[in-house]
């Protein structure tokens, strides 16, 4: 006889299989000890979107609506809910929204709420109420809104104000009216006026802004804004970072506990101000940079770090630099090799003593849209242009 594994070990094994639902479905059939842990993985994340047809969607959501009242513990396992592609208005939209609202109302413990390509004002009133109620769930700590369309910033802010336990906010929104209200008090669109969150009572730890950064920055600095960003640990800025009136914008306002900063596509003129306002910065991501025949991010990166040279007593606290780069042209052509040659300037810069704190430079290369993968020769080429980083074992180059 083979002695059975302890249930605690079975739980740990199944936890590491949460990404593989097909295997979890098989585990449900093996034995009682594996049923509940497998079900936690199966129902941990629900994505509601119309993939094939409205008929199939209604059938699937109908099953969930019938299953959750019968076995409420399954609904309690749902920690992540995502709504995708709710941007349509047609004859069947009302039935779809009603079915979605029924499922949404069954979920008591959602921790992460995500939206992708959702047009708020095209949702039915019933679905709007159901989703708004989810914003009020005490377990909700993460909200991600991507390509989310809503009329006014004040309407978006009103929704976010319900998330009294929020820790992570990621926003990529389209606003028809981005203006903030003239008064310093944002009136929530609710009759429960006495339950409005207190000023600075919602303490964010991670913030990602990709559009309408000015409006968010202004709102966060209101005395009566319920969100506190002074103790942020992780900050992401999207392509609009460069249009902020100040070089370091919100970075100056978020306090000195910032440990990780993401800058996307366009970089600020220099990193000099970051030393003063982010003394504990450990990880810097330079995301979605482009390398092509006629363009290289090298001058921007060089300008970013150059102000630290010859500054007595001022050294970077930075330990890891991550550069995510998209190859826009065939990288090994004769014309492309000229732009790759410029990377030698970065190698010369980073071997200066001012940058001794940097332990790792992580290059993450993405192929051009017309190519299935990054050629192996590119990694060898980049390593050849950065001999100091390569020989000091401070460099990683891999494909994404």
């Amino acid at each position: 006889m083979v002695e059975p594994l302890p249930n605690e070990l079975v739980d740990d094994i199944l936890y590491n299989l949460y990404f593989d639902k097909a295997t979890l479905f098989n585990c449900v059939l093996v034995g009682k000890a594996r049923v509940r842990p497998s079900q936690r993985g199966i129902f941990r994340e629900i994505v509601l979107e119309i993939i094939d047809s409205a008929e199939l969607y209604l059938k699937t959501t109908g099953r969930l609506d019938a299953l959750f009242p019968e076995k409420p513990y399954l609904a309690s396992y749902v920690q992540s809910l995502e709504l995708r592609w709710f941007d349509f208005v047609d004859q069947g939209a009302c039935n779809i929204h009603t079915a979605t609202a029924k499922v949404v109302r069954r979920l008591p413990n959602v921790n992460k709420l995500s939206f992708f390509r959702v047009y708020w004002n095209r949702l039915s009133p019933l679905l709007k109420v159901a989703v708004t109620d989810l914003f009020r769930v005490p377990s909700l700590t993460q909200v991600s809104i991507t390509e989310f369309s809503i009329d006014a910033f004040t309407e978006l802010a009103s929704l976010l104000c319900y998330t009294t336990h929020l820790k992570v906010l990621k926003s990529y929104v389209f606003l028809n009216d981005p203006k903030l209200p003239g008064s310093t008090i944002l009136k929530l669109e609710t009759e429960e006026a006495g339950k409005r969150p207190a000023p600075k009572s919602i303490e964010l730890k991670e913030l990602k802004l990709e559009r309408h950064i000015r409006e968010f920055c202004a709102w966060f600095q209101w005395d009566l804004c319920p969100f506190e960003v002074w103790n942020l640990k992780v900050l992401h800025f999207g392509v609009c970072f460069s249009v902020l009136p100040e070089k370091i914008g919100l970075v100056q306002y978020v306090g000195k506990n910032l440990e990780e900063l993401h800058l996307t596509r366009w970089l600020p003129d220099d990193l000099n101000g970051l030393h003063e306002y982010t003394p504990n910065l450990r990880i810097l991501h330079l995301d979605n940079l482009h390398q092509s025949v006629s363009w290289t991010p090298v001058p921007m990166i060089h300008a970013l770090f150059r102000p630290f040279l010859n500054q007595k007593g001022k050294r970077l606290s930075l330990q890891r630099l991550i550069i995510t780069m998209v190859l826009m042209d065939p990288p090994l052509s004769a014309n492309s090799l000229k732009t790759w040659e410029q990377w030698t300037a970065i190698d010369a810069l980073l071997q200066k003593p001012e940058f001794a704190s940097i332990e790792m430079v992580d290059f993450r290369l993405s192929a051009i849209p017309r190519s299935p993968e990054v050629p192996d020769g590119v990694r060898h080429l980049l390593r050849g242009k950065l001999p100091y980083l390569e020989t000091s074992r401070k460099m990683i180059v891999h494909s994404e």
Side-chain angles (χ1 to χ4, degrees), residues 55-71:
E55 182 180 356
L56 179 60
Y57 180 86
L58 292 173
K59 186 177 181 180
T60 303
T61 51
R63 286 177 178 173
L64 291 174
D65 186 44
L67 180 63
F68 287 156
E70 180 185 347
K71 299 180 178 180

Side-chain angles (χ1 to χ4, degrees), residues 113-268:
L113 181 59
S114 304
F115 303 91
F116 177 77
R117 194 65 69 85
V118 172
Y119 284 44
W120 180 252
N121 292 315
R122 294 182 182 178
L123 302 184
S124 69
L126 184 66
L127 183 53
K128 276 187 177 182
V129 171
V131 173
T132 300
D133 288 342
L134 266 188
F135 277 88
R136 293 187 175 97
V137 173
S139 59
L140 187 65
T141 60
Q142 301 180 56
V143 170
S144 176
I145 47 181
T146 304
E147 297 189 29
F148 183 89
S149 178
I150 193 168
D151 275 349
F153 185 87
T154 52
E155 191 176 5
L156 173 64
S158 295
L159 278 175
L160 294 176
C161 284
Y162 294 125
T163 58
T164 54
H165 296 84
L166 196 66
K167 298 299 180 185
V168 179
L169 174 60
K170 299 180 180 181
S171 174
Y172 181 8
V173 295
F174 298 102
L175 301 173
N176 295 326
D177 180 13
K179 295 180 182 178
L180 289 170
S183 67
T184 58
I185 299 176
L186 179 66
K187 295 181 179 179
L188 301 182
E189 296 177 357
T190 174
E191 295 178 358
E192 301 175 282
K195 296 184 179 180
R196 296 174 186 168
K200 309 302 180 186
S201 61
I202 306 173
E203 188 171 294
L204 293 177
K205 295 300 182 183
E206 181 175 350
L207 176 64
K208 182 177 183 179
L209 300 176
E210 295 197 61
R211 286 178 61 89
H212 300 289
I213 298 175
R214 292 178 187 271
E215 288 72 26
F216 275 101
C217 290
W219 184 40
F220 289 148
Q221 294 181 59
W222 282 3
D223 291 338
L224 294 178
C225 176
F227 286 96
E228 176 61 84
V229 295
W230 185 250
N231 293 313
L232 274 183
K233 298 294 185 182
V234 183
L235 178 61
H236 305 244
F237 272 127
V239 296
C240 294
F241 178 83
S242 61
V243 303
L244 289 176
E246 300 176 9
K247 288 184 179 180
I248 51 178
L250 186 59
V251 177
Q252 179 178 349
Y253 179 70
V254 300
K256 297 187 176 182
N257 295 315
L258 197 66
E259 297 177 357
E260 185 172 337
L261 178 63
H262 295 241
L263 302 177
T264 301
R265 189 71 179 274
W266 301 111
L267 309 181

